[in-house]
Amino acid sequence: MFQFAKAPRYLLLSALLTTSLSAVANNATSLPDIGTTAASTLTIDKEIKYGDMYMQMMRASRPMINDPVLSEYIQDLGHKLVANADGVKTPFNFFLIQNYEINAFALFGGNIGVHSGLFLHAKTESELASVIAHEIAHVTQRHLARTLEDQAKKNPATMAALIGSLLLVVAAPEAGMAALHTTTAVSMQGMLNHTRSNEKEADRIGIATLAKAGFNPQAMPHFFGRLAEQYRYTTKLPAMLLSHPLPESRITDSRMRANNYPKVKLPPSERYLLAKSRIVARNIDFSKTSALNWFNAELKKATPTQRQELNYGKGLVYLDSGQYNKAQQLLLPLISAEPNNLFYIDAMTDLDLYKKQYDKAIARLEKALQYQPESSVLQLNLANVLLEAKHYQQSLNILTRYSYQHPNDINGWALLAQNYAKQNQRAGELAAMGELAALRAQWKLAISNYTQAAQQATLGSLDQARYDARLDQLRVQQAQFESLRTSF
């Protein structure tokens, strides 16, 4: 699949420390001193709005992975868990961050981020799911809003001092981290202590969600126990253990709770292993040589049923390094055995593009779409191949519909901008680029692009009216964004 330039690799704040500070920032200067349910502090509606705001800032400052194949995988896994969770009051969105550190975190409004490094340390899909289920529990139990209410009661003046630092952390991480170090140490410790008091609750509810969703409930204590043992004597803990401390009592408690559920023995998840191989090949700080060495080492100890997923990853490394014949030798048997597997279809489409075998790729994708018409992977791949084959109008039709249905997907707008650029339709290109800027809360750029698009459109045309209407919407969105950002 097409790939975008990688964003700078900033380190995220430890998971729940970031989200707890986010909660504090949201209304620290005007909190009512009532209740413990957090409903008066932060309504669900406002929490969703804050979540949208933070996601826009995340897109502008974090190295998010915009790979349609991996995005579809993590969304499917996350929503399988959400469908089996209790107390769901917000929509959920799952996304990947390119970061070698072991971490996952929850933002407002059900936005849950997962570091790519987590795939290297989770041995099974159930272990990965256990971390995500834990984060889902933090959201459903409204731990962020509860932390906000608790801290505002204790020291609202100190909380107000954290607001500016928090926003810097989200928008400009290096400056924000420096600013946070100047805040009161006592207040920071209080935040951490309150966060830690929620961990067992998130474990308990997360294990229940795991079991209901058909995963192995023992995966949580297994994964947490292995992490605790691995980093027992180290002085530099991963972000996940800083924000989710693992004392022996917590591991023991999670093990006892997991023992209350029937033992589950699941076969290895093919999709998880394929996602893991794809991340090693493309989203870990490995050189191509290091990635090949990793796959070769894993292949030596792999069972026969695991070899195909590792060969897939190895094939991607060959593909990305221009060794197309070697890539084909590995990938062709895989797609022949599983012609509807999206991981294999995406890889073979890349290979066809490199070889300029457009008709072959189009035929494969159109056939696959008959069985999976809603797949983002297939729609974006087909639009991209049609674009490369200079079938601009067909590509444009797909992308216009796709961007309407998936307005928050950067991939659709980026391809749409490329399509218009190749047709020398500057107004359409500017409009698509304006949408990309708006997704990153770059309001001035978004408004500038749409202003230019309206100026370039034919006077009185439908396009000009559409661009003018979108300009009005962007100005309203900018005002709402600024109002949220300054209404703490």
Side-chain angles (χ1 to χ4, degrees), residues 101-401:
E101 290 237 348
I102 311 167
N103 206 2
F105 58 95
L107 294 171
F108 282 123
N111 293 295
I112 293 178
V114 177
H115 281 202
S116 56
L118 194 55
F119 282 77
L120 284 183
H121 295 271
K123 290 187 176 180
T124 66
E125 187 173 52
S126 286
E127 289 191 353
L128 175 63
S130 74
V131 176
I132 297 174
H134 177 99
E135 298 302 329
I136 291 171
H138 278 306
V139 175
T140 59
Q141 297 311 109
R142 306 204 67 202
H143 286 160
L144 311 186
R146 286 158 59 184
T147 298
L148 166 61
E149 184 174 83
D150 181 79
Q151 292 302 315
K153 287 178 182 177
K154 290 177 181 177
N155 197 340
T158 303
M159 293 306 100
L162 289 170
I163 295 172
S165 300
L166 167 73
L167 292 177
L168 280 172
V169 168
V170 177
E174 291 173 341
M177 286 295 288
L180 278 173
H181 288 309
T182 67
T183 57
T184 306
V186 174
S187 171
M188 295 290 287
Q189 188 59 48
M191 295 292 291
L192 279 171
N193 289 342
H194 186 83
T195 299
R196 289 170 184 171
S197 70
N198 296 321
E199 291 304 290
K200 284 187 178 180
E201 183 177 36
D203 289 346
R204 173 177 60 81
I205 295 170
I207 287 171
T209 300
L210 269 183
K212 286 177 66 178
F215 292 101
N216 180 8
Q218 294 288 343
M220 186 178 289
H222 286 170
F223 182 58
F224 288 169
R226 197 169 66 250
L227 277 186
E229 183 63 31
Q230 182 178 348
Y231 291 97
R232 186 180 301 277
Y233 303 109
T234 186
T235 57
K236 185 179 180 182
L237 294 174
M240 185 168 179
L241 294 190
L242 290 173
S243 58
H244 299 69
L246 285 170
E248 187 60 38
S249 61
R250 182 183 164 201
I251 297 172
T252 300
D253 184 71
S254 66
R255 187 177 296 116
M256 290 175 61
R257 292 189 181 282
N259 286 339
N260 291 327
Y261 295 90
K263 291 187 177 181
V264 176
K265 188 170 184 179
L266 299 172
S269 165
E270 180 188 24
R271 288 190 75 200
Y272 169 71
L273 294 173
L274 288 171
K276 182 173 185 174
S277 289
R278 190 175 181 92
I279 280 176
V280 171
R282 289 181 168 171
N283 298 106
I284 295 293
D285 291 331
F286 284 164
S287 66
K288 296 305 178 187
T289 300
S290 297
L292 280 176
N293 289 340
W294 187 91
F295 283 114
N296 287 331
E298 291 296 311
L299 279 164
K300 287 180 180 178
K301 57 186 179 183
T303 63
T305 57
Q306 296 172 330
R307 294 184 65 84
Q308 61 187 29
E309 292 87 1
L310 293 168
N311 280 329
Y312 161 74
K314 192 173 178 181
L316 290 182
V317 176
Y318 283 137
L319 190 62
D320 296 342
S321 57
Q323 301 181 65
Y324 303 133
N325 289 335
K326 288 184 177 180
Q328 182 168 307
Q329 289 174 7
L330 289 171
L331 295 173
L332 196 55
L334 297 177
I335 197 167
S336 297
E338 296 183 56
N340 293 319
N341 187 307
L342 294 178
F343 287 86
Y344 301 153
I345 291 173
D346 179 90
M348 287 303 295
T349 301
D350 284 348
L351 185 60
D352 290 337
L353 282 174
Y354 288 129
K355 293 186 173 184
K356 300 188 185 303
Q357 296 177 340
Y358 305 125
D359 290 344
K360 187 176 181 181
I362 291 169
R364 181 189 299 111
L365 291 164
E366 288 180 340
K367 183 177 180 180
L369 276 164
Q370 294 176 10
Y371 301 97
Q372 303 178 73
E374 301 303 317
S375 169
S376 296
V377 174
L378 296 176
Q379 291 180 61
L380 289 169
N381 265 291
L382 180 57
N384 188 49
V385 174
L386 290 168
L387 181 60
E388 293 298 319
K390 300 182 180 180
H391 300 319
Y392 298 128
Q393 190 57 51
Q394 290 175 267
S395 174
L396 187 63
N397 292 341
I398 295 172
L399 292 171
T400 301
R401 182 174 62 253

Side-chain angles (χ1 to χ4, degrees), residues 44 48 52 79 82 88-94 108-111 139:
I44 294 292
I48 292 171
D52 292 341
H79 283 106
V82 170
V88 176
K89 298 181 179 67
T90 67
F92 273 81
N93 170 52
F94 301 88
F108 282 123
N111 293 295
V139 175

